Every structure is written in C-alpha cells, then in structure tokens.
C-alpha cells in the first residue's frame, strides 16, 4: 500500500508555511484535528520529518489515555528535568535558549488526553514564546469534551492555526492498492478515512469485528455511548431518539450528543452512522444471539410505533434465532420469498402453514421458478381436508394479478374442484367464477377459452346470497360485452351492489366492465366507488386498499367532465410503478385520456408506452391513439384506434360504451381526407349505440355521424341530447362541432353562440385544446367588433382567454406597453373597466 499521506499535499503545504514563518522569527501554534484514524499522527510525523530536514530542533510528546492521571507524563517527554510547577520557568528558559540556537518544533499528539499538569505547562509556555522561531503542533481528536480545568483553547490560544482533516477523496483512493474493489464504494463505506480503508481492504466483507471491538473499547469511557452505538447500528435508518432510548433502556440523548461530536454518528434525523463501515463493524462484533435479540426488540418497538410493515419485517428477518409469532401476519402482508420463508420458521397451525406454503410457492412462481409451482401443488395434495385446500386455492387465485398466473390458476382450480363433493356446489361456483374472471382478463385466446365457463356460471344459481349477487355482476358484464342493453346491464349491476362487499368486485376484469356500465349515471357510479371503499383488503398486490375506489371515482369525475379532479384521483394508482397490473394499466390509460383532454401531451406519452395481451392493454392502445390524434399525427392515431377495435372484436366486444374508438377513428379518417370510411364507421357506431341505448354513447355516435356527413340536423340532435346529460365535456365537444359545421356552411351568426358556449365550458373544465379550437373559431368571426381595430380585437380576445400581457406580447411580437395601450383602448370602446368583463363584452 502506498504512503498514507496520499492526498494530504494541501495540509503539508500549510504546515510548511508555518516553518517558513518560524525561520523569520514568527512563533505559531497549529491544531490538527479529525476523527479517529483520519491520519493526524501520520501528518504530524511527516511534519516532523520536514522540520528536521530544515534544521529545526524537534521535541516530541504523545499523550495516552491510561497516563492521563500521571502529573507531567506528557510535558516531561519534552523536558525530563521538569519535576513540578516550580520548574515551569526552567522549562521556558530551556526552550528560549534552544530557540536562540535554532528554530524549534514542539509536537504533542493526542493532547486532548494529556494530564492536567502537562496541559497547564503547555498553556504557560506557549504565550511566552511569542516572537521566537517556535512552532507548537497539537494533535487532537474531533469532538473531545474536556473534563478537567484546562481546555484546548487555553493551550493553543484564541486564534491558533487549524487543520481539520477529512477523508481521502475517490481519486486518491483509486491510487491506493485496492485490488478489484470499487473506489466509489470504498469511499461510501469509509468516507476515505485511512484507518478504516486499511481495515476494509483486509476484510472480505464490508465490516470488521476487530474495528467494532476497538470502537466499543474507545466509547466505554463515555457513559452509555457504547450501548447507544450498538442500538443505533441495529436500528439503522430507524434510529430515532425515542426508539434508541426504548431499546437501550435509558435516556440516550447525552450519549447521542457525544457520538455526534465524536463523528461516530452523523448529525441527521433519524440518526445514521457517519461511516457505514463503522456500523457494519459494530454489528460484526456483536454475538449472533445478541444481535438477533436486538433486532427482535427493534421489530416490536417499530411495530408498536406504526412503522411501515417493510421496515418492521426487515428486523424480523434479522432475528432468525428468536421466535416472533406476532410477526407472521405482517410477513405475509409484505410478501416475497424471503419474508414467507421466515414466516414458515414460526409455530403455525396446519391451516396457516398451508396458506403460507402456497403463498411462498406463488411468489417463487412469479420469479419463473418451476419449484414454486411444484411447492403449491405438493402442499395442496398433502392437505387432507378438501375444503381447506379449496379455500387456500381460492385465496391464492384472488391474489393473482399478472399475466403469467392464468394457466397456473386454472390448473389449481381443477385440482381443488376435483376433490369437492356435490354438496359443495357453492364453493365450486365461487372457485370457478374467480378463476374465470382471472383468465378472461388475459389474451384473447385464453379469454375466449374461459368464456366457455360463463354460460355454466350464469345457468347455475348459487344458494349463498352474496354469490347470487356475484352472479348478477356477471350478468351485467355479459350485457356490457355484447352491448345488448344498457338498462339491463345497469339493473344487474345495481342488484349486485345491493348489499355488503363481495370479493369478486375486486377482480380487474369485472371492474373494467362495471365502470362504463355505471358511469353514465352519477348516482350509480358513486354507489360503485363507495362499495369499493368498504373493501376489507386489497387483493391486488400492487395497490393499497382503497385505490380501486379512487379509480372508480376518477371515472365518475371524468365522465362529468371534471378533469382536474379525475387527474388528482388517478395519479396515486399510476405511481405504483407496476406495468403489468391490470388495475394500474386501466388507471394509466384513463390518466392518459385526461392528460390529452387537458393538453398535457408530454405527461400522457410515457403512460401509453407499454403494450401487452391483457384486456386493459386495449385501453392503453386506445389512449395512445387519442394522444396521436390530438398531436396531429392522424395516420398513427388511426392505426392505434383501429388496432383497439380489432382487439375488442377478437374478444367479441362490439359495445361502443367500452371505449369510443370509432368516434376518434372517424376524426382520424377525416383528417386524412377519407370521408367515405369515416361515414361508414360513424353509422356502424350509431347502430351499435342505439342498441346499447345510453345517452353518452348515442350522443357521441350521432356526433360522429354529423361530423362525417356534415349533417347539421344530426349535430343539433347530438348537442341537445348531450345537453340533457351529466357529460359536460361531451356536451362542449358537441357544441364545438355544431358551431364549426355551421360556420363552414356560412351560417356564422348561428354558429357564434355554440362556439362561445363551447369555449366557455371547455375553459371551465380545463379542456384547453378544445377551448383553443373554439376560441380560434370565435376570433375568426370578424376582425372588427364594436368598433375595435384588428389589433385591438386580437389583443382583447387573447386577454379574454386568460393570457397575460407578457404572453400576448410574445405571441404577437409586440412590446408589453403596446399591449397595455391596445387593452386600454378596447376597454374604453367596449365601455368596460377591465379583463373580468371582456368575455361578456366580446361575445354577448
């Protein structure tokens, strides 16, 4: 290993300047400070060697903690003749005589643990050597609290030179002989502390028991510091003052103050170690049983303080040798292979052991581990009670989410059903229903295979009232899939919701259909999301309890045109990070639609980047088509929208209530100049919409027909129909298209009120792209309004849209002063006092 002074060039240069000044007759005192192992002694040794090479007389002394009770133990290393305080003048005389012959360097290392008599002697000597060629160098550890009558400032003076040593930087560490270790990681662990670096390089891991032992020994002189350091090492990121006190059994505050000053702990909240290597070393020095017991105690304290389950579980995992029966439910809630394996180490009932074995096998299965699937099958086969096996299978299938689960779920359901008796008909129905809902949500082929069970489920009426309500939900889904009757679908859905929570309501497949079935009626969709808010748990592993309710509530806001609140409620479910969870995919697609309608195209783009074979991926493709259409990429939009239609057709789902892909495809066809295909698709949509019968779907389809055929009567009917509905954004769209086509036919006076209402409503709903379209058409009604000049008219209308004077000036390439003058003139001509009255004055 190269010199430990690597990276200390600046410090050595500063010390060298003190030697230069001493030669010129200027005395000085320098204090070199830093944490343990930072290299104070090595720096002082190099300083000593440099002084000798320059002809300095060098006097060396080193303090020792075990000699701190021996009077004069340090100062006699400088002057052996010194016997007592009456000889202090002799000490000064000798130093002065020596300084007259050659410059002197006095080095006292670890002065902070020197005996009181020696400190008094140094405090006596230093001020009397002023004006002589003398340098006094003191080495002191960081954070030392003096407990005797002489302090370091009294020894060194009020304004000594000071060198505070930090660790080596990454570049310096890279020059050391560190083998294949990463310099950045070495720096993260040790902060570049040379002593810790050497210890790290001797070890295979990232901690050293010998370093931990040494740290513990050094801390024992401070009351409670060693115990608090151990507890902080166990708690790690959870080391708050209250938990530290609870774990140690005494008030940890005084010891924490000491540890922070000594540089063992960083000055953070919660407390962390300044160097992770020190924490790892303290843990390595603790016996395994002691460490496990401390983690077990920490787990319980965190559990009682309502800490996140993941943090509690982390300590439970490290308490392997301690039985913690209370932690089983928590470990199952956190999930994952390691946590479930730890849960199996506890004393469990046969039922709990079976459930955890199955959950563990499923977790392994999700990692593409065939052993996991075998574990589940073996556990179910070994279970002697068929009802217990069936319940465990049902619970597992309810918690399945990702696309790889469906085939596995079907095989497990077949195993469980085969062992049940005819009198277990309801249990069989529930198991088959749950498995059907999982499989039907997958790719088109599996969904069509699963559809074979639908008729059986509908034909068999369960005895259990809750299962009969689940059957009503299936009937609502059947109507929604085929698009036969909105009224019948709503009737079945409301019958399903008439009672307490039913587990199948949490299945993504059912949820995806019931949202559009009930969304046309605010009171019905409200009942739906309220039902989800009462769900006892979230079966979806990617969503917290209540998040499905948030998605349903967002759908209600979206349908009413309240884009801002829809955006707010969709953001939490989409922030989970999962890209293969059906419910999250649905939320991402809905949020993308909302962003498109609000004009936030950049935010929508990453939400629709993924694709796959789940039912909800069709929503993603549809939302991507809408984004491309809004971004004026009609060809790409048409491709995505038609692809969404093809996927729905493959699943035999023609109902336009599920997603209005035809409506937007009509617009894409028109943008590409293909009016014939646009009209054909619009009439197809209208036929299907009339079959379904809801106001939203029929009004949207009539809008499609009107814009593709330029039929004012149809557009008028669409506007009137949507005006009577709660769908305000759709109504604003119908107003815009009606006004747009009236203008195209030269009927500008008739178009004006529709365009103004469209503009005002879209702006109120934060539908900025639509507001811009309508506003542009309104501005084009004429260059002069009520005596305004062309420029006054343009400035006034932009101000009415909410643009600031600065934005208007930048857009029109004017100065802000010019904009202000145009507005003042417009206010005067329109007989108004300010911006608040512009909308009414311009479009009245």
């Amino acid at each position: 290993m190269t010199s430990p002074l690597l990276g200390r060039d600046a410090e050595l240069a500063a010390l060298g300047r003190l030697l230069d000044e001493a030669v010129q007759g200027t005395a000085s005192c320098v204090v070199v400070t830093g944490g343990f192992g930072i290299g104070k002694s090595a720096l002082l040794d190099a300083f000593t060697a440099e002084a000798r090479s320059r002809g300095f007389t060098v006097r060396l002394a080193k303090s020792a903690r075990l000699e701190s009770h021996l009077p004069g133990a340090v100062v006699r290393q400088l002057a052996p003749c010194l016997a007592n305080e009456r000889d202090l003048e002799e000490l000064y005389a000798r130093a002065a005589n020596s300084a007259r012959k050659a410059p002197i360097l006095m080095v006292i290392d670890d002065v902070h643990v020197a005996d009181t008599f020696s400190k008094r002697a140094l405090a006596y000597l230093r001020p009397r050597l002023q004006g002589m060629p003398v340098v006094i160098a003191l080495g002191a550890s960081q954070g030392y609290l003096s407990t005797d009558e002489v302090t370091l400032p009294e020894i060194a003076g009020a304004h000594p030179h000071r060198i505070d040593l930090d660790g080596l930087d990454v570049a310096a560490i890279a020059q050391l002989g560190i083998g294949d270790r990463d310099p950045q990681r070495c720096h993260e662990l040790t902060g570049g502390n040379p002593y810790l670096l050497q210890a790290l390089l001797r070890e295979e891991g990232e901690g050293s028991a010998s370093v931990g032992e040494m740290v513990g020994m050094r801390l024992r002189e401070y009351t409670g510091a060693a115990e608090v350091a151990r507890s902080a090492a166990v708690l790690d990121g959870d080391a708050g003052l209250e938990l530290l006190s609870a774990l140690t059994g005494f008030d940890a505050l005084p010891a924490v103050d000491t540890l922070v000053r000594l540089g063992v702990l960083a000055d953070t909240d919660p407390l962390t170690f300044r160097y992770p290597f020190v924490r790892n070393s303290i843990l390595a020095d603790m016996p395994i049983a002691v460490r496990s017991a401390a983690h077990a105690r920490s787990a319980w304290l965190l559990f009682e303080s309502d800490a996140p389950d993941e943090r509690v579980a982390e300590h439970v995992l490290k308490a392997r040798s301690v039985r913690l029966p209370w932690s089983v439910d928590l470990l199952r809630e956190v999930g994952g292979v390691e946590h479930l394996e730890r849960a199996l180490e506890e004393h469990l009932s046969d039922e709990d052991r079976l459930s955890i074995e199955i959950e563990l096998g499923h977790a392994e299965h999700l990692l593409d581990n065939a052993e996991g699937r075998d574990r589940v099958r073996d556990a179910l086969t070994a279970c002697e009670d068929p009802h217990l096996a069936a319940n465990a299978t049902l619970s597992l299938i309810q918690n399945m989410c990702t696309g790889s689960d469906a085939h596995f779920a079907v095989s497990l359901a077949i195993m469980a059903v085969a062992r049940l008796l005819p009198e277990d008909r309801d249990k069989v129905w529930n198991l088959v229903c749950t498995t059907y809902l999982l499989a039907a949500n997958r790719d088109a082929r599996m969904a069509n295979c699963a559809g074979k069970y639908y008729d059986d489920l509908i034909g068999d009426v369960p005895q259990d009232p809750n299962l009969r309500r689940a059957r009503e939900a299936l009937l609502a889904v059947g109507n929604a899939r085929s698009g036969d009757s909105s009224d019948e679908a709503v009737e079945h859905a409301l019958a399903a919701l008439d009672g307490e929570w039913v587990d199948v309501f949490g299945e993504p497949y059912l949820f995806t259909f019931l949202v559009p079935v009930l969304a046309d009626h605010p009171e019905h969709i409200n009942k739906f999301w309220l039902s989800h808010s009462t769900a006892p748990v979230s079966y979806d592993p990617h969503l917290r309890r209540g998040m499905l309710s948030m998605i349903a509530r967002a759908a209600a806001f979206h349908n009413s045109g309240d884009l801002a609140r829809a955006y707010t409620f969709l953001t939490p479910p989409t922030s989970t990070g999962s890209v293969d969870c059906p419910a999250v995919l649905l939320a991402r697609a809905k949020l993308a639609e909302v962003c498109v309608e609000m004009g936030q195209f950049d935010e929508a783009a990453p939400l629709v980047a993924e694709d796959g074979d789940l039912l909800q991926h069709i929503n993603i493709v549809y939302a991507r088509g809408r984004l491309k259409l809004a971004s004026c990429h009609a060809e790409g939009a048409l491709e995505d929208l038609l692809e969404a239609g093809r996927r729905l057709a493959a699943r035999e789902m023609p109902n336009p209530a599920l997603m209005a892909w035809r409506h937007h495809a009509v617009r894409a066809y028109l943008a590409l100049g293909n009016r014939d295909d646009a009209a054909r698709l619009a009439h197809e949509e209208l036929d299907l919409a009339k079959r379904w019968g809801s106001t939203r779907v029929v009004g949207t389809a009539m809008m499609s027909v009107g814009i593709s055929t330029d039929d004012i009567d149809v557009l008028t009917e669409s506007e009137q129909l949507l005006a009577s509905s709660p769908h305000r954004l759709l109504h604003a769209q119908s107003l815009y298209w009606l006004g747009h086509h009236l203008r195209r036919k030269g009927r500008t006076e008739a178009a004006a009120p529709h365009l103004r209402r469209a503009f005002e409503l879209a702006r109120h709903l934060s539908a900025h792209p639509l507001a811009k379209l309508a506003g542009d058409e309104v501005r084009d009604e004429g260059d002069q309004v009520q005596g305004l000049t062309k420029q006054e008219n343009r400035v006034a209308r932009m101000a009415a849209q909410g643009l600031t004077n600065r934005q208007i000036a930048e857009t029109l390439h004017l100065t802000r002063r010019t904009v202000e003058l145009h507005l003042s003139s417009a206010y005067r001509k329109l007989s108004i006092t300010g911006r608040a009255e512009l909308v009414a004055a311009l479009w009245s």
Side-chain angles (χ1 to χ4, degrees):
M1 191 170 177
T2 58
S3 170
L5 291 184
L6 182 69
R8 299 298 190 204
D9 294 343
E11 290 83 356
L12 286 171
L15 292 172
R17 287 191 290 273
L18 297 181
L19 297 179
D20 295 338
E21 293 172 2
V23 171
Q24 301 300 321
T26 301
S28 60
C29 180
V30 60
V31 180
V32 179
T33 65
F36 171 78
I38 203 68
K40 299 183 298 296
S41 297
L43 183 65
L44 290 174
D45 288 345
F47 185 33
T48 299
E50 174 68 14
R52 282 197 175 113
S53 71
R54 296 193 186 190
F56 275 67
T57 300
V58 176
R59 296 286 182 266
L60 301 177
K62 186 173 179 62
S63 307
R65 185 177 61 84
L66 296 179
E67 298 179 359
S68 60
H69 66 291
L70 301 177
V74 173
V75 75
R76 286 195 185 96
Q77 297 176 49
L78 301 175
C81 65
L82 192 65
N84 53 54
E85 292 188 16
R86 289 190 296 275
D87 295 328
L88 290 179
E89 186 60 32
E90 175 68 18
L91 174 65
Y92 163 67
R94 290 185 174 225
N97 289 335
S98 179
R100 293 187 186 98
K101 300 174 183 177
I104 299 176
L105 171 65
M106 294 184 187
V107 177
I108 303 93
D109 200 2
D110 291 333
V111 69
H112 56 284
V113 291
D115 61 279
T116 302
F117 177 70
S118 294
K119 290 180 181 178
R120 291 174 63 86
L122 293 170
Y124 174 88
L125 182 63
R126 179 195 54 75
R128 289 169 172 76
L129 296 176
Q130 294 297 323
M132 298 183 183
V134 177
V135 178
I136 299 176
L138 307 174
S141 285
Q142 167 189 338
Y144 177 78
L145 299 176
S146 178
T147 56
D148 58 27
E149 60 190 71
V150 185
T151 64
L152 185 59
E154 290 174 313
I155 300 171
H159 304 289
H161 297 278
R162 189 177 183 93
I163 294 178
D164 297 313
L165 292 182
D166 292 321
L168 303 179
D169 59 23
V170 175
I173 294 173
Q175 298 179 48
L176 300 174
I178 62 174
D180 59 355
R181 288 183 180 265
D182 177 18
Q184 181 64 43
R185 181 58 180 162
C186 290
H187 188 269
E188 291 172 0
L189 288 168
T190 66
N193 182 292
Y195 173 80
L196 298 180
L197 271 171
Q198 292 180 32
L200 172 64
L201 297 177
R202 290 194 301 267
E203 301 290 336
E204 292 184 3
E206 296 186 343
S208 167
S210 61
V211 171
E213 181 181 16
M214 182 277 301
V215 171
M217 291 174 59
R218 284 180 168 269
L219 293 179
R220 288 193 188 110
E221 65 178 291
Y222 307 104
T223 304
E227 291 82 355
V228 170
R230 276 189 166 193
S231 296
V234 169
L235 285 167
D236 195 14
D238 301 309
L241 188 60
E242 185 176 348
L243 284 174
L244 277 174
S245 298
L247 191 57
T248 57
F250 57 81
D251 181 8
L253 183 58
V256 166
D257 180 70
T258 299
L259 291 168
V260 171
R261 293 181 183 279
L262 291 173
V264 177
L265 296 179
D267 190 13
T268 58
D269 184 21
L271 292 160
T272 56
F273 278 80
R274 186 173 183 184
Y275 306 129
F277 184 78
V278 173
R279 173 186 177 262
N280 298 340
S281 299
I282 291 174
L283 291 175
D285 183 49
M286 295 174 67
I288 293 175
V290 174
R291 193 163 64 241
S292 291
H295 279 297
R297 176 67 174 153
S298 298
W300 177 250
L301 291 171
L302 287 167
F303 180 74
E304 284 194 315
S305 65
D306 293 325
D309 289 348
E310 291 76 9
R311 296 295 304 136
V312 180
E314 187 175 326
H315 288 283
V316 174
L317 289 178
K318 296 174 181 175
R320 291 281 182 180
S321 61
V322 182
R323 300 276 69 82
L324 301 172
W326 60 266
S327 69
V328 173
D329 289 341
L330 179 139
L331 291 167
R332 294 176 68 180
E333 181 68 25
V334 175
V337 172
E338 191 177 12
H339 296 103
L340 294 170
E341 287 178 338
R342 175 66 179 86
L344 286 174
E345 296 175 5
E346 298 294 337
H347 300 295
L348 302 167
S349 66
D350 291 343
E351 182 176 355
D352 285 342
R353 184 165 295 279
L354 172 65
S355 297
I356 296 173
E357 284 277 8
I358 290 175
E359 291 168 15
L360 174 58
H362 181 227
E364 293 172 332
H365 153 73
L366 292 177
L367 298 175
D368 291 329
N369 187 340
E371 293 181 5
R373 295 186 283 276
D374 292 340
R375 181 194 293 273
V376 174
R377 294 189 181 98
D378 291 346
L380 290 173
T381 301
C383 180
E384 297 180 357
D385 185 344
H387 293 103
L388 183 58
N391 290 337
T393 302
L394 177 63
S395 178
L396 174 61
I397 295 174
Q398 287 173 336
N399 282 277
M400 288 183 169
C401 179
T402 59
S404 62
D405 283 333
H407 289 92
F408 188 34
V410 171
S411 66
L412 294 179
I414 291 172
M415 283 179 58
V417 168
R419 297 179 61 185
L420 295 173
L421 300 173
E423 53 266 30
D424 300 319
R425 196 179 79 182
D426 275 7
K427 192 175 292 293
V428 170
W429 193 96
N430 196 13
L431 195 53
V432 172
C433 177
T434 305
T435 307
Y436 159 73
L437 292 173
L438 177 71
N441 204 66
R442 270 51 190 179
D443 60 85
R445 181 180 176 185
M446 186 150 201
N448 291 331
C449 290
K452 299 174 183 177
Y453 293 97
Y454 178 80
D455 291 337
D456 293 337
L457 289 167
I458 295 304
D460 186 9
V461 182
Q463 297 297 314
D464 183 270
N466 284 337
L467 295 184
R468 287 202 296 271
R469 290 169 49 224
R471 177 177 173 273
E472 290 289 341
L474 290 183
L475 288 168
V477 168
N479 270 280
R481 282 173 52 91
S482 63
D484 284 340
S485 170
S486 171
D487 290 341
E488 288 185 20
V490 169
E491 183 180 348
H492 289 304
L494 293 179
L497 293 172
D498 189 17
E500 297 178 354
W501 171 260
V502 179
D503 289 339
V504 296
F505 290 168
E507 292 294 332
Y509 184 75
L510 201 68
F511 183 89
T512 302
F513 282 101
L514 291 184
V515 167
V517 165
L518 298 169
D520 288 334
H521 307 276
E523 68 278 11
H524 298 339
I525 193 68
N526 289 348
K527 186 173 184 179
F528 185 58
W529 67 255
L530 282 171
S531 172
H532 275 79
S533 67
T534 64
V537 296
S538 174
Y539 292 115
D540 191 318
H542 302 101
L543 296 178
R544 298 193 309 273
R545 179 179 175 271
M547 278 196 171
L548 271 182
S549 176
M550 295 179 74
I551 299 173
R553 195 170 187 186
F557 288 133
H558 187 207
N559 274 273
S560 69
D562 193 338
L563 299 179
R565 285 208 278 183
Y567 178 93
T568 299
F569 277 85
L570 285 168
T571 301
T574 60
S575 62
T576 62
S578 174
V579 294
D580 56 1
C581 170
V584 174
L585 286 171
L586 182 63
R588 288 169 69 91
K590 292 291 184 185
L591 181 58
E593 288 188 64
V594 171
C595 289
V596 167
E597 287 158 354
M598 295 176 74
Q600 298 168 191
F601 300 158
D602 289 343
E603 187 173 351
L607 296 171
V608 294
E610 301 292 334
D611 201 354
D613 297 324
L614 297 176
L615 171 64
Q616 291 74 21
H617 280 114
I618 307 177
N619 296 82
I620 293 288
V621 174
Y622 165 68
R624 185 164 63 234
R626 291 199 59 186
L627 173 61
K628 290 179 180 178
L629 184 61
S631 304
C632 301
H633 181 18
E635 188 173 352
L638 183 62
E639 182 180 343
D640 280 333
L641 293 166
L642 294 179
E643 174 61 20
R646 281 191 291 269
R647 295 191 191 187
L648 289 170
R651 293 171 179 263
E652 300 178 355
M653 299 178 183
N655 189 357
L658 301 180
M659 59 188 75
W661 68 268
R662 295 177 184 84
H663 172 71
H664 298 287
V666 165
R667 292 179 53 201
Y669 272 131
L670 291 173
L672 294 169
N674 190 342
R675 186 167 292 274
D676 291 340
D677 282 335
R680 173 191 56 77
L681 194 59
H683 282 96
E684 175 188 310
E685 181 184 19
L686 183 57
D687 290 341
L688 292 168
K690 288 179 177 179
R691 178 178 162 195
W692 177 248
S694 76
T695 301
R696 170 176 61 91
V697 177
V698 173
T700 303
M702 294 182 73
M703 203 188 317
S704 299
V705 172
I707 63 177
S708 63
T709 61
D710 205 14
D711 191 324
I712 297 297
D713 292 337
V714 174
L715 286 171
T716 301
E717 189 176 351
S718 170
E719 186 276 323
Q720 292 172 347
L721 185 63
L722 291 170
S724 63
S725 75
H727 308 295
R728 293 177 296 167
L729 183 55
L730 281 175
H731 182 220
Q733 292 169 359
S734 69
L735 284 165
Y736 167 74
W737 287 114
L738 177 56
H740 173 78
H741 283 268
L742 284 168
R743 284 191 70 249
R744 285 182 55 182
K745 291 179 179 293
R747 299 166 60 183
T748 55
E749 291 187 5
H754 299 300
L755 292 171
R756 293 169 191 160
R757 287 172 60 201
F759 169 75
E760 293 166 3
L761 185 54
R763 188 177 60 171
H764 174 71
L765 298 175
S766 299
H768 303 300
L770 180 60
K772 184 178 185 306
L773 285 173
D776 288 346
E777 299 243 12
V778 170
R779 283 194 297 275
D780 288 342
E781 289 176 22
D783 291 332
Q784 294 184 340
V785 176
Q786 300 207 19
L788 300 185
T789 66
K790 180 178 179 180
Q791 195 72 306
E792 288 169 352
N793 185 56
R794 293 178 68 189
V795 170
R797 292 184 184 281
M798 293 175 75
Q801 286 184 293
L803 274 69
T804 65
N805 288 359
R806 180 179 179 181
Q807 291 170 327
I808 297 170
E810 290 174 349
T811 302
L812 300 180
H813 304 289
L814 303 172
T815 65
R816 291 177 65 179
R817 176 58 178 163
T818 301
V819 171
E820 292 169 359
L821 290 173
H822 283 316
L823 281 176
S824 297
S825 178
Y827 296 159
R828 185 177 64 256
K829 291 178 181 180
L830 295 172
S831 301
I832 60 176
T833 58
R835 283 174 177 258
E837 301 171 69
L838 269 176
V839 173
L842 291 172
W843 295 314
S844 59

